[in-house]
């Protein structure tokens, strides 16, 4: 199954969908990441996301400002289900199945 990362900026409400092209992606401030979050509160390489057969695993890569799941800062890893929200800086993110509907409602950017 293919997935996308839905990224919402909490200040502007701007949303984008980024297709996940491999079972492991990196999220951070620099363009070397699979998902780039352009904000000073986001570390260069902030977290790793792994898509597994039994769910989704987040790993904070020793970021300065943390990754939050359900309002709690994760200290190392956290398991998520599809659609669970997590926060990085001023962004709220979700991992969603890539469907015609998700890509129709928001353009999927590669």
């Amino acid at each position: 199954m293919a997935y996308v990362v839905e990224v919402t900026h909490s200040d502007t409400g701007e949303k984008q969908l980024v297709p996940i092209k491999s079972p492991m992606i990196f999220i951070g401030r620099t363009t070397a990441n699979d998902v780039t979050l352009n904000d000073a509160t986001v570390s260069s390489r902030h977290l790793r996301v792994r898509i597994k057969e039994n769910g989704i695993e987040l790993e904070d890569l020793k970021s300065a400002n943390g990754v939050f799941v359900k309002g709690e800062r994760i200290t190392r890893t956290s398991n998520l289900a599809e659609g669970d929200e997590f926060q990085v800086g001023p962004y709220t993110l979700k991992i969603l199945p890539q469907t015609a509907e998700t890509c129709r409602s928001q353009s999927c950017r590669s």
Side-chain angles (χ1 to χ4, degrees):
M1 173 178 280
Y3 290 91
V4 296
V5 180
E6 179 187 84
V7 180
T8 305
H9 194 286
S10 62
D11 294 338
T12 65
E14 180 185 343
K15 284 188 182 183
Q16 70 173 355
L17 292 177
V18 181
I20 295 176
K21 298 180 180 181
S22 69
M24 183 174 65
I25 64 166
F26 292 92
I27 298 174
R29 191 178 65 247
T30 68
T31 57
N33 294 286
D34 301 286
V35 178
T36 303
L37 303 178
N38 188 15
D39 189 89
T41 62
V42 178
S43 294
S44 297
R45 184 157 278 198
H46 204 98
L47 75 141
R48 177 183 7 236
V49 177
R50 290 186 182 144
I51 307 295
K52 298 177 162 189
E53 287 183 25
N54 60 347
I56 300 159
E57 179 186 81
L58 300 181
E59 181 182 0
D60 187 336
L61 299 175
K62 300 180 182 176
S63 65
N65 295 308
V67 177
F68 294 81
V69 176
K70 298 178 184 172
E72 298 286 324
R73 184 174 181 159
I74 66 172
T75 55
R76 188 167 184 161
T77 63
S78 181
N79 294 309
L80 301 178
E82 292 175 3
D84 285 352
E85 292 184 349
F86 57 101
Q87 286 77 37
V88 176
Y91 298 92
T92 299
L93 301 96
K94 293 185 212 177
I95 309 295
L96 302 169
Q98 183 173 330
T99 64
E101 186 176 322
T102 57
C103 285
R104 183 173 51 246
S105 65
Q106 296 283 325
S107 75
C108 289
R109 299 180 190 174
S110 43

